[in-house]
């Protein structure tokens, strides 16, 4: 045990007494994490240069450009579409937006492409492009929504006015219907009275009596009177016949009017029913808010955690990034330096077992890493506070395992490569390889399934997953057993490999 | 030529191959207790390999090495503390001080704290580097560095001190001082010293025995005087040059019988030369 402590003490002295090493090994990662922490303490994009071009800027185009121009975006109007695209290719602008000439809302019905804004983006900056597109699309969508809102409001107002008019006219129809009914009743009464009017006088009896009287008398005067009366009666008879005819005609016309009025009444009822139906239909429109009509289905993105800045979300990845790079590089550097030290040989001829030297190197790396993690977690407490305390024990256990895995990988590399340069290069390459096949640069879902399976066993991916689950979601240990077992497997594998590699270096010295 | 003391360390039929290269070829050698024995030979003759075999750093392809009749190849872990080794290059940490280097290696030999301190103090005084105990080892001069290296080799109080080219890269004054230190260690601590060197002048002055290693075999071993008499040379340099040029067949220890035969041989040569001269004068 004393030998082990002796070796660790020596290793730490060697690191701290070499100023350059101490600076790179100890302060480098801390400086890195501090800078990253400062850089990602917000959650927005900054200083995005947008190139725009339109052959003819309309009021609408300018209003969208104005909407884009805030502290996030610098918008530059360019002279041609080609220039806009070219400058975006050369990185002068992050995105190029081509607006159609004289863009106007009214033109939207003229064709599918009239009001289309085309964005040219550099997909090689894949991590940035989606963020920019998302932000710009949101800003354009806000403007588009405003315009749509105005249009929908006009429609809604028109519909409401129609409803009011219909309700209003519905009253008039009711009045007309009532009036029709009354008129019809009047007509019925007239016809009834007309029918009740008896004008069917029988003058034959009078005429017979007059004939009898004429026959019974020879009085000329009487006969003249009778003759006059007969004429009068004939005239009356004619009048009566005319009256009866007129009565019949009136009756027929009255019936026709009544029928017409009945028809009118039916039409009025139908019209009324139609108006009522329209009103009912208009009133049955339950959604009358323009916001709801514009976007009847609304999406709401609810974060799984309540973090506010990139730093909070990035913290687990940053820790794994730091642990992996520092562990790999530190252990490789220390092993190579130890190997190339002239005193390395002397260690082999002492009775101290070789495993103790291996263990000493490992513990040295772990101690340095713990010191760095202590500072980083000190910073993290500022952001995460109590949340971190709740999972501190599991996090520390996990970090111990993952650090050990990366330390042994680094030590293995350090032992198998002869020169410091190649060892560091190999270590960097391994770190870059692990990083590339993880979720940090590109989602592993973007790589082919066969590689994805391999990538899912990448210690970096496992570490990243566990750290996220632990710190962001406070996952219990029981949900992480697979990752833990995998990492412990890696730990033993690389421990054995490192020991074997150390044996090989011993043979090389011989 | 025989050794003054009984064998302390014995190489018996030792062969060592690295790949297809035979470095040591059925080597036999006895090293006596309490003496300073040098192994000399041209570069690539297998001197360093021989020393590495002795400290157990490499294993022989064939043969055995006995330390006080114990086979150290089989029992290396038990005898490792008996040897102290200083390689051709300094074997200490430049970023540690002189004292820290001694404490570090002392701890690797599992010495107790008090014992280690006493041993370190003693060695620093013995090797005359006490005044630099707090100096970083990388700041030491070549001579002081060599002394620290020897001190590191002696920190666990070994019975045998093995020095591989200790005077290499040192100027004549430093060499002289170092030779004095080695002699002091040998005399004051009764430490058996095995040394390899190219610088035969110092070897001549310092060593009790010199073994000549050539093409993986010990060609001759004896005291400097015995060797000089045997080869009829005035210095070890002359003997070394002679052996390398002649590439003699290997024989073991130079005995008085060998020596007498050699003298007879030389007498015959002288007689024939004189006879030839007389004949010409006539």
């Amino acid at each position: 045990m004393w030998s082990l402590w002796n070796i660790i003490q020596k290793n730490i002295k060697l690191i701290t007494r070499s100023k350059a090493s101490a600076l790179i090994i100890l302060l480098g990662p801390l400086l890195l994490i501090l800078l990253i922490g400062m850089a990602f303490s917000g959650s927005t994009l900054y200083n995005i240069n947008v190139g725009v071009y339109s052959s003819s800027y309309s009021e609408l185009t300018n209003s969208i450009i104005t909407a884009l121009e805030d502290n996030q975006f610098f918008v530059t109007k360019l002279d041609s579409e080609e220039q806009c695209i070219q400058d975006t290719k050369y990185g002068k602008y992050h995105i190029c937006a081509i607006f159609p000439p004289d863009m106007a809302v009214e033109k939207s019905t003229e064709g599918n492409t009239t009001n289309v804004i085309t964005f040219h983006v550099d997909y090689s900056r894949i991590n940035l492009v989606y963020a920019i597109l998302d932000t710009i699309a949101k800003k354009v969508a806000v403007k588009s929504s405003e315009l749509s809102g105005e249009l929908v409001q006009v429609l809604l107002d028109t519909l409401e006015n129609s409803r009011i008019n219909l309700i209003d006219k519905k009253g008039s129809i009711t009045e007309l219907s009532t009036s029709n009914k009354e008129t019809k009743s009047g007509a019925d009464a007239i016809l009834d009275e007309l029918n009740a009017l008896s004008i069917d006088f029988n003058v034959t009896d009078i005429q017979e009596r007059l004939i009898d009287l004429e026959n019974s008398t020879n009085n000329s005067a009487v006969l003249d009177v009778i003759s006059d009366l007969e004429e009068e009666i004939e005239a009356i008879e004619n009048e009566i016949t005319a009256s009866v005819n007129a009565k019949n005609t009136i009756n027929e016309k009255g019936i026709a009017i009544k029928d017409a009025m009945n028809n009118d009444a039916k039409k009025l009822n139908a019209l009324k029913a139609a108006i009522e139906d329209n009103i009912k239909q208009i009133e049955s429109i339950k959604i009358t808010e323009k916001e709801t009509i514009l976007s009847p289905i609304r999406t709401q993105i609810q974060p799984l955690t309540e973090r506010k800045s990139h730093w909070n979300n990035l913290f687990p990845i940053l820790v794994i990034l730091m642990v992996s790079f520092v562990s790999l590089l530190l252990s490789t550097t220390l092993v190579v330096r130890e190997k190339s030290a002239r005193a390395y040989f002397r260690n082999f001829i002492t009775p101290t077992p070789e495993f103790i030297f291996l263990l000493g190197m490992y513990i040295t790396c772990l101690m340095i890493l713990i010191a760095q993690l202590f500072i980083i977690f000190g910073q993290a407490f500022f952001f995460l506070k109590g949340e971190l305390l709740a999972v501190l024990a599991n996090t520390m256990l996990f970090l111990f395992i993952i650090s050990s895995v990366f330390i042994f990988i680094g030590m293995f590399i350090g032992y198998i490569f002869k020169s410091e340069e190649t060892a560091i290069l190999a270590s960097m390459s391994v770190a870059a390889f692990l990083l590339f096949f993880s979720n940090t640069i590109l989602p592993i879902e973007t790589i082919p399934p066969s590689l994805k399976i391999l990538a899912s066993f990448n210690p970096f991916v496992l570490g990243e997953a566990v750290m996220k689950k632990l710190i962001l979601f406070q996952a219990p240990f029981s949900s992480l057993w697979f990752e833990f077992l995998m990492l412990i497997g890696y730990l033993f594998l690389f421990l054995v490999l490192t020991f074997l590699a150390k044996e090989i270096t011993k043979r090389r010295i011989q | 030529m025989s050794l003054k003391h009984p064998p302390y360390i014995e190489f018996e039929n030792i062969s060592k191959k690295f790949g297809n290269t035979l470095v040591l070829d059925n080597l036999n050698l006895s090293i006596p207790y309490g003496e300073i024995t040098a192994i000399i030979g041209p570069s690539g003759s297998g001197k360093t390999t021989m020393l590495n075999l002795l400290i157990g750093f490499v294993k022989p392809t064939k043969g055995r090495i006995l330390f006080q009749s114990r086979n150290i190849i089989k029992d290396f872990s038990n005898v490792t503390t008996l040897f102290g080794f200083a390689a051709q290059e300094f074997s200490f940490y430049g970023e540690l001080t002189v004292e820290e280097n001694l404490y570090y290696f002392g701890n690797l030999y599992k010495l107790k704290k008090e014992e280690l301190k006493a041993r370190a103090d003693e060695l620093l005084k013995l090797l005359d580097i006490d005044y630099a105990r707090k100096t970083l080892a990388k700041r030491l001069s070549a001579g002081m560095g060599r002394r620290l290296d020897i001190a590191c080799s002696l920190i666990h109080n070994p019975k045998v001190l093995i020095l591989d080219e200790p005077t290499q890269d040192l100027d004549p004054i430093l060499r002289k001082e170092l030779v004095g230190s080695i002699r002091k260690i040998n005399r004051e601590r009764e430490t058996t010293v095995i040394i390899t060197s190219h610088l035969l002048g110092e070897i001549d002055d310092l060593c009790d025995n010199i073994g000549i290693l050539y093409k993986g075999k010990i060609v001759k071993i004896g005291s400097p005087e015995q060797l000089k008499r045997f080869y009829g040379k005035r210095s070890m340099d002359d003997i070394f040059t002679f052996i390398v040029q002649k590439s003699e067949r290997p024989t073991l220890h130079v005995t008085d019988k060998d020596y007498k035969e050699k003298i007879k041989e030389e007498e015959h040569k002288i007689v024939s030369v004189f006879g030839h001269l007389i004949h010409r004068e006539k």
Side-chain angles (χ1 to χ4, degrees), chain B residues 3-9 30-33:
Chain B
L3 298 169
K4 284 185 277 183
H5 294 98
Y8 192 48
I9 300 162
S30 294
I31 295 166
Y33 169 78

Side-chain angles (χ1 to χ4, degrees), chain A residues 2-3 6-7 9-11 13-14 17-18 337-338 341-353 357 506 509-510, chain B residues 18 52 55 57-58 80-81 85-87 89-93 95-97 100 103-105 107-110 136 149 152-153:
Chain A
W2 179 245
S3 295
N6 180 44
I7 293 163
Q9 266 186 320
K10 179 265 299 177
N11 288 339
K13 276 178 189 167
L14 293 182
R17 283 181 188 169
S18 171
R337 285 185 63 175
E338 178 68 15
R342 290 181 294 192
Y344 183 56
F345 167 80
R346 191 178 288 285
N347 292 324
F348 282 121
I349 57 170
T350 65
T352 302
F357 289 101
K506 191 183 163 187
I509 293 170
Q510 294 165 7
Chain B
F18 288 108
N52 283 338
I55 56 167
F57 194 65
V58 289
T80 181
T81 50
F85 182 75
E89 291 192 338
F90 297 154
S91 299
F92 51 75
Y93 291 100
E95 300 295 339
L96 299 183
T97 64
E100 283 168 347
Y103 285 168
Y104 169 68
F105 289 111
N107 279 317
L108 293 184
Y109 281 99
K110 300 178 179 19
L136 283 180
D149 208 28
C152 290
S153 310

Side-chain angles (χ1 to χ4, degrees), chain A residues 12 141 174 300 383 414 456:
Chain A
I12 289 173
T174 309
Q300 190 181 22
F383 294 97
S456 63

Side-chain angles (χ1 to χ4, degrees), chain A residues 437-456:
Chain A
F437 283 98
S438 74
N439 282 311
T440 311
I441 295 175
L442 276 175
I444 55 169
E445 285 74 15
T446 57
I447 59 177
S450 52
L451 281 176
K452 189 187 156 191
I453 293 168
L454 284 177
S456 63

Side-chain angles (χ1 to χ4, degrees), chain A residues 174-374:
Chain A
T174 309
E175 281 172 17
L176 273 174
S177 187
T178 310
S179 167
N180 178 276
K181 267 183 190 169
E182 284 171 1
T183 311
K184 198 187 136 205
S185 300
D188 282 341
I190 289 168
L191 285 173
D192 287 346
E193 279 185 24
L194 192 67
N195 288 330
L197 189 66
S198 179
I199 51 173
D200 192 14
F201 297 108
N202 194 352
V203 292
T204 312
D205 195 32
I206 296 167
Q207 284 173 328
E208 283 175 357
R209 283 191 178 190
L210 280 172
I211 291 166
D212 288 342
L213 189 61
E214 192 179 17
N215 293 332
S216 64
T217 188
N218 293 322
N219 189 334
S220 63
V222 174
L223 289 170
D224 289 339
V225 170
I226 288 169
S227 178
D228 289 342
L229 282 171
E230 282 175 346
E231 284 174 11
E232 283 292 326
I233 286 166
E234 198 177 335
I236 287 168
E237 191 180 13
N238 290 338
E239 285 292 323
I240 286 168
T241 304
S243 292
V244 168
N245 288 339
K247 182 192 166 189
N248 288 338
T249 307
I250 289 167
N251 196 33
E252 280 169 13
K253 288 196 175 174
I255 289 165
I257 288 167
K258 220 174 89 178
D259 288 343
M261 287 181 86
N262 276 337
N263 284 337
D264 286 348
K266 277 179 189 171
K267 283 177 185 170
L268 278 171
N269 282 339
L271 184 64
K272 191 184 168 191
I275 287 173
E276 276 175 349
D277 192 41
N278 282 345
I279 292 168
K280 207 180 275 179
Q281 279 186 23
I282 291 170
E283 285 176 344
S284 72
I285 299 169
K286 288 175 185 167
I287 301 152
T288 51
E289 293 84 26
K290 66 175 178 184
E291 291 79 13
T292 315
I293 294 166
L294 277 172
S295 42
I297 298 169
R298 290 185 196 181
T299 53
Q300 190 181 22
I301 297 166
Q302 194 68 36
L304 291 169
T305 56
E306 291 177 6
R307 272 80 190 172
K308 286 174 183 129
S309 72
H310 286 319
W311 201 93
N312 297 76
N313 291 321
L314 279 178
F315 178 69
I317 300 163
L318 281 179
V319 170
I320 290 298
L321 203 64
M322 194 216 79
V323 164
S324 60
F325 271 79
V326 171
S327 302
L328 275 169
L329 292 175
L330 179 70
S331 54
T332 303
T333 311
L334 289 185
V335 165
V336 173
R337 285 185 63 175
E338 178 68 15
K339 246 171 60 177
S340 55
R342 290 181 294 192
Y344 183 56
F345 167 80
R346 191 178 288 285
N347 292 324
F348 282 121
I349 57 170
T350 65
T352 302
E354 282 170 36
F355 184 74
I356 298 291
F357 289 101
L358 197 77
L359 204 61
M361 187 63 76
Y362 158 71
I363 293 173
T364 307
C365 295
L366 200 64
M367 281 171 74
I368 293 168
L369 201 66
I370 286 168
Q372 294 183 349
L373 283 172
F374 185 76

Side-chain angles (χ1 to χ4, degrees), chain A residues 459-501:
Chain A
F460 192 93
V461 173
L462 293 169
E464 197 184 350
V466 175
M467 275 302 278
K468 269 188 180 175
K469 285 180 192 173
L470 276 174
I471 294 179
L472 296 180
F473 310 123
Q474 276 84 40
F477 186 80
S478 56
S479 65
L480 305 167
W481 66 269
F482 171 74
E483 287 89 345
F484 269 85
L485 281 181
M486 280 297 299
L487 290 171
I488 289 167
Y490 278 127
L491 177 63
F492 282 105
L493 173 71
F494 280 100
L495 173 65
V496 172
L497 286 176
T498 307
F499 191 77
L500 293 175

Side-chain angles (χ1 to χ4, degrees), chain B residues 1-236:
Chain B
M1 280 185 263
S2 60
L3 298 169
K4 284 185 277 183
H5 294 98
Y8 192 48
I9 300 162
E10 290 174 276
F11 287 75
E12 280 188 4
N13 305 317
I14 289 290
S15 293
K16 177 66 190 173
K17 266 186 173 180
F18 288 108
N20 290 325
T21 312
L22 184 65
V23 180
L24 296 177
D25 181 14
N26 210 29
L27 181 143
N28 288 284
L29 174 68
S30 294
I31 295 166
Y33 169 78
E35 293 186 3
I36 300 174
T37 302
I39 309 294
I40 62 167
S43 297
S45 58
K47 298 189 296 291
T48 302
T49 304
M50 210 180 125
L51 299 187
N52 283 338
L53 279 165
L54 198 55
I55 56 167
F57 194 65
V58 289
K59 292 199 167 27
T61 312
K62 200 187 91 183
R64 58 181 192 162
I65 301 168
L66 302 176
F67 176 80
Q68 289 186 313
S69 305
R70 269 189 295 169
N71 187 348
I72 63 169
I73 296 159
K74 287 183 181 170
D75 194 22
F76 179 71
S77 57
N78 290 328
V79 294
T80 181
T81 50
L82 301 171
F83 296 97
F85 182 75
Q88 284 179 24
E89 291 192 338
F90 297 154
S91 299
F92 51 75
Y93 291 100
E95 300 295 339
L96 299 183
T97 64
V98 168
E99 191 178 55
E100 283 168 347
N101 267 297
L102 288 175
Y103 285 168
Y104 169 68
F105 289 111
N107 279 317
L108 293 184
Y109 281 99
K110 300 178 179 19
L111 299 181
K112 284 180 184 165
K113 201 175 174 182
E114 296 75 25
E115 188 189 1
L116 179 57
K117 191 179 180 311
R119 191 78 51 80
D121 289 345
E122 182 200 342
L123 284 170
L124 290 171
K125 279 174 192 153
L126 178 75
L127 290 159
D128 203 20
I129 46 172
D130 191 32
Y131 65 95
R133 62 163 61 212
K134 299 286 180 195
T135 308
L136 283 180
K138 66 180 177 184
R139 303 203 196 288
L140 297 177
S141 66
M144 285 175 74
R146 183 56 68 191
R147 285 184 213 181
L148 172 60
D149 208 28
I150 293 169
C152 290
S153 310
L154 291 170
I155 191 68
H156 58 293
N157 202 18
K159 301 284 179 203
V160 182
L161 175 63
I162 302 160
L163 304 168
D164 191 7
E165 308 276 5
T167 52
Q168 188 177 261
D169 303 330
L170 297 183
D171 64 45
I173 296 166
L174 289 175
R175 284 209 296 268
K176 212 167 190 176
E177 283 177 6
L178 187 70
V179 164
S181 297
I182 294 167
R183 193 174 283 131
K184 210 168 154 187
I185 292 161
N186 173 246
R187 303 250 166 91
E188 290 182 13
R189 296 163 64 101
E190 289 193 353
T191 305
T192 303
V193 179
I194 302 169
I195 189 167
T196 67
S197 181
H198 282 115
L199 300 163
L200 304 175
E202 280 91 25
I203 293 291
D204 197 352
D205 293 340
L206 176 68
C207 297
D208 301 307
N209 303 295
I210 298 173
I212 302 165
L213 185 67
Y214 187 67
K215 289 186 178 175
K217 292 174 189 288
I218 292 290
V219 178
K220 288 281 185 284
I221 186 163
S223 68
E225 289 72 28
Q226 284 174 323
L227 290 172
K228 281 178 210 165
R229 270 190 288 159
F230 177 76
Y231 285 105
K233 305 289 179 189
R234 288 184 177 178
S235 69
M236 288 308 298

